[in-house]
Amino acid sequence: MHTKGAAATTMSNWITNFCVVEVRSIGLQMLGWRFYIVWTVLNAIFVPIIWLLLPETDLDAYYRENPSLIRVRDENAI
């Protein structure tokens, strides 16, 4: 489960960075300095969305209950 989450995080990070790079120059050309206001508003909107919709994982509790770092045939780790 952890590797799938790390892979999804890395993928979304690269996709987001690609979109930022592609949109930024066009936005600056069309809107000028006002593009930064749009950018700030969008970032402010995403903060409560992420806070409310993405659950906090408690990996500390998982590793306290299962102290071994090497997982072999563990259904929870697959």
Side-chain angles (χ1 to χ4, degrees):
M1 184 69 178
H2 179 71
T3 54
K4 290 180 183 179
T9 301
T10 303
M11 179 190 66
S12 66
N13 184 25
W14 278 94
I15 290 172
T16 304
N17 287 335
F18 175 77
C19 292
V20 167
V21 169
E22 292 296 318
V23 169
R24 183 187 158 276
S25 60
I26 297 169
L28 284 173
Q29 286 176 357
M30 296 183 74
L31 299 175
W33 63 269
R34 291 181 297 276
F35 177 73
Y36 292 111
I37 295 173
V38 172
W39 189 257
T40 303
V41 169
L42 287 175
N43 283 321
I45 289 171
F46 282 123
V47 169
I49 291 172
I50 290 171
W51 184 268
L52 293 172
L53 297 180
L54 296 179
E56 179 67 30
T57 57
D58 193 6
L59 291 178
D60 291 334
Y62 176 79
Y63 285 114
R64 268 193 302 271
E65 295 169 4
N66 305 302
S68 176
L69 293 177
I70 299 173
R71 298 287 172 206
V72 178
R73 295 188 183 102
D74 182 7
E75 299 84 30
N76 295 325
I78 296 176

